[in-house]
């Protein structure tokens, strides 16, 4: 198994500012997919719909101010059964996001693409918290022919 890993620092007043962007359908729509529906509470399923497809994430674990964990239950075959983990901590006026999309079966070209896309969306999350405006699909940075 292989994982996508990223670390991003978000200038914020508290970890709660970032945690809130990961635990509300409205704020998730503000940085990842404009077309987001569902239940962002523990045990709920969030439906993310993008120009190029979509994902369904089951909310497995919520630890306020510390961790959000989703299991992918719908979407491309490569994503099914993988987990998306957001670990949060406070450091020097920043909320540090230790991001992991774990459990990929192999590091194929699609995984390479998804790693780069996750990076652009993490920067969109950062932008939303710091400025009030993110860049969710369909307004995100395009990185190639797969969007």
């Amino acid at each position: 198994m292989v994982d996508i890993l990223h670390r991003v620092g978000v200038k914020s007043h508290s970890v709660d500012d970032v945690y809130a962007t990961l635990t509300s359908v409205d704020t998730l729509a503000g940085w990842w997919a404009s077309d987001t529906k569902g239940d962002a509470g523990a045990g709920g399923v969030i439906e993310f719909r993008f120009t190029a497809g979509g994902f369904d994430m089951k909310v497995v674990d919520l630890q306020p101010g510390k961790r959000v964990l989703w299991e992918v239950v719908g979407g491309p075959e490569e994503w099914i059964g993988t987990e998306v983990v957001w670990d949060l901590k406070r450091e020097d006026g920043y909320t540090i996001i230790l991001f992991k999309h774990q459990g990929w079966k192999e590091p194929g070209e699609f995984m390479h693409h998804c790693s780069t896309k996750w990076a652009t969306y993490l920067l969109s999350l950062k932008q939303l918290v710091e400025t009030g405006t993110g860049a969710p699909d369909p307004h995100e940075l395009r990185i190639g022919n797969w969007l």
Side-chain angles (χ1 to χ4, degrees):
M1 297 283 186
V2 291
D3 303 331
I4 293 171
L5 306 170
H6 293 289
R7 180 188 185 275
V8 175
V10 179
K11 192 76 169 165
S12 63
H13 295 291
S14 78
V15 174
D16 295 334
D17 296 337
V18 174
Y19 182 80
T21 67
L22 301 170
T23 57
S24 159
V25 169
D26 290 338
T27 52
L28 287 164
W31 66 265
W32 197 22
S34 295
D35 184 4
T36 297
K37 297 177 181 77
D39 178 359
V45 175
I46 311 166
E47 301 170 2
F48 299 96
R49 298 299 177 261
F50 297 82
T51 304
F55 309 98
D56 296 336
M57 305 286 189
K58 181 178 181 183
V59 182
V60 175
D61 188 22
L62 295 175
Q63 296 176 30
K66 294 181 182 179
R67 175 176 258 219
V68 174
L69 171 63
W70 300 330
E71 177 187 357
V72 182
V73 295
E77 181 181 337
E78 296 92 339
W79 280 50
I80 302 296
T82 62
E83 294 180 328
V84 179
V85 183
W86 312 83
D87 285 318
L88 309 174
K89 65 180 180 175
R90 193 80 181 145
E91 197 172 282
D92 301 325
Y94 286 84
T95 296
I96 304 301
I97 302 169
L98 296 175
F99 171 88
K100 187 187 303 184
H101 186 171
Q102 64 188 14
W104 288 74
K105 293 176 186 147
E106 60 184 340
E109 187 175 358
F110 184 53
M111 182 183 171
H112 289 260
H113 168 79
C114 292
S115 179
T116 305
K117 284 306 286 189
W118 271 123
T120 68
Y121 287 121
L122 285 163
L123 294 175
S124 174
L125 184 159
K126 175 182 173 66
Q127 182 180 332
L128 178 64
V129 173
E130 293 180 353
T131 71
T133 304
D137 176 87
H139 310 288
E140 83 279 18
L141 176 65
R142 305 288 181 176
I143 61 168
N145 60 329
W146 291 352
L147 303 175

